[in-house]
Amino acid sequence: MGSFNVTLGEVSKAATATERDARDLRWSRMMAAAQAGDARAYEALLRECLPLLRAICRARLRDATEAEDAVQDTLLTIHRARDSYNAARPFRPWLVAIAERRALDRVRSRGRRVRRQLPVDAAGEIASGEPAAEVELDARRAAANLRQAIEDLPPAQRTALRLTKIQDLTLADASQRSGMSVGALKVATHRALHALRRRFGTEE
């Protein structure tokens, strides 16, 4: 008679996989509801996804501030691109691809400043993710709640956020376009992100 050798570890892994699958299905349904205009489902989805986004960004960026900024970049991208999500596809890979790309943007930006290169394994992981079309920004379909939140910011913060985060200009270019100093832009951008975190409940 054969022996029954299933270990507690294997049972635990199976249970974890089942929970993850159930979570992924729930997230996909919540995103579909959000696309249909369910603001509560959208807010709940972002709250549930936040720990995963932070884990991804913190794994890619050693600096805690850079990682948190990458999280906020990811949330902004999700806001702008949510109508491009295909509900027939799993949501989590789409979400992870966005977070990886925003973290990669931060790594590249930092690399330009300190002449570092992205590790090969991280670049490979990005390349193996969802097709670029799945995470292409759609600024013309910006979510109404984010647009309103940005409009409610003080003028200097609104300008700094749009130039440095949405238009993705360098600080030097943003400074030239806005007439604000680089230091003032940094402060205004930080305060704008802080205000958005408070508004959308993403502060720890």
Side-chain angles (χ1 to χ4, degrees), residues 6-148:
V6 177
T7 66
L8 289 176
E10 290 171 329
V11 172
S12 177
K13 287 180 180 179
T16 300
T18 299
E19 291 173 0
R20 183 172 59 247
D21 290 344
R23 180 201 62 185
D24 292 349
L25 179 59
R26 184 176 70 254
W27 284 1
S28 295
R29 289 174 175 171
M30 292 167 75
M31 185 60 171
Q35 287 179 316
D38 189 336
R40 289 185 178 180
Y42 187 46
E43 181 180 354
L45 174 63
L46 294 182
R47 287 181 183 276
E48 286 194 25
C49 292
L50 194 57
L52 174 60
L53 298 181
R54 284 203 169 107
I56 292 170
C57 293
R58 288 173 179 174
R60 295 286 174 262
L61 296 155
R62 294 181 180 180
D63 184 88
T65 300
E66 288 271 10
E68 188 60 28
D69 283 347
V71 170
Q72 299 307 317
D73 291 346
T74 301
L75 291 174
L76 287 170
T77 300
I78 293 170
H79 274 291
R80 296 197 296 268
R82 63 177 179 173
D83 287 340
S84 71
Y85 167 67
N86 181 355
R89 300 176 66 90
F91 174 71
R92 189 172 61 87
W94 183 84
L95 176 77
V96 170
I98 292 177
E100 291 279 12
R101 288 174 185 276
R102 295 292 76 82
L104 176 60
D105 288 344
R106 287 276 165 183
V107 172
R108 285 172 172 167
S109 177
R110 184 179 60 187
R112 287 194 295 268
R113 295 194 302 268
V114 298
R115 297 186 180 279
R116 292 180 182 172
Q117 296 295 325
L118 175 69
V120 174
D121 60 343
E125 189 167 342
I126 296 296
S128 65
E130 290 291 291
E134 290 293 329
V135 293
E136 188 69 25
L137 299 182
D138 187 4
R140 291 177 297 180
R141 294 183 175 183
N145 55 347
L146 178 63
R147 185 168 60 244
Q148 186 59 56

Side-chain angles (χ1 to χ4, degrees), residues 131-180:
E134 290 293 329
V135 293
E136 188 69 25
L137 299 182
D138 187 4
R140 291 177 297 180
R141 294 183 175 183
N145 55 347
L146 178 63
R147 185 168 60 244
Q148 186 59 56
I150 293 174
E151 287 299 323
D152 290 343
L153 292 171
Q157 294 180 24
R158 185 167 62 243
T159 297
L161 185 72
R162 283 174 171 166
L163 293 177
T164 63
K165 298 298 183 184
I166 297 177
Q167 296 183 29
D168 201 25
L169 297 180
T170 64
L171 285 170
D173 288 342
S175 176
Q176 183 176 11
R177 182 172 298 188
S178 66
M180 299 170 65

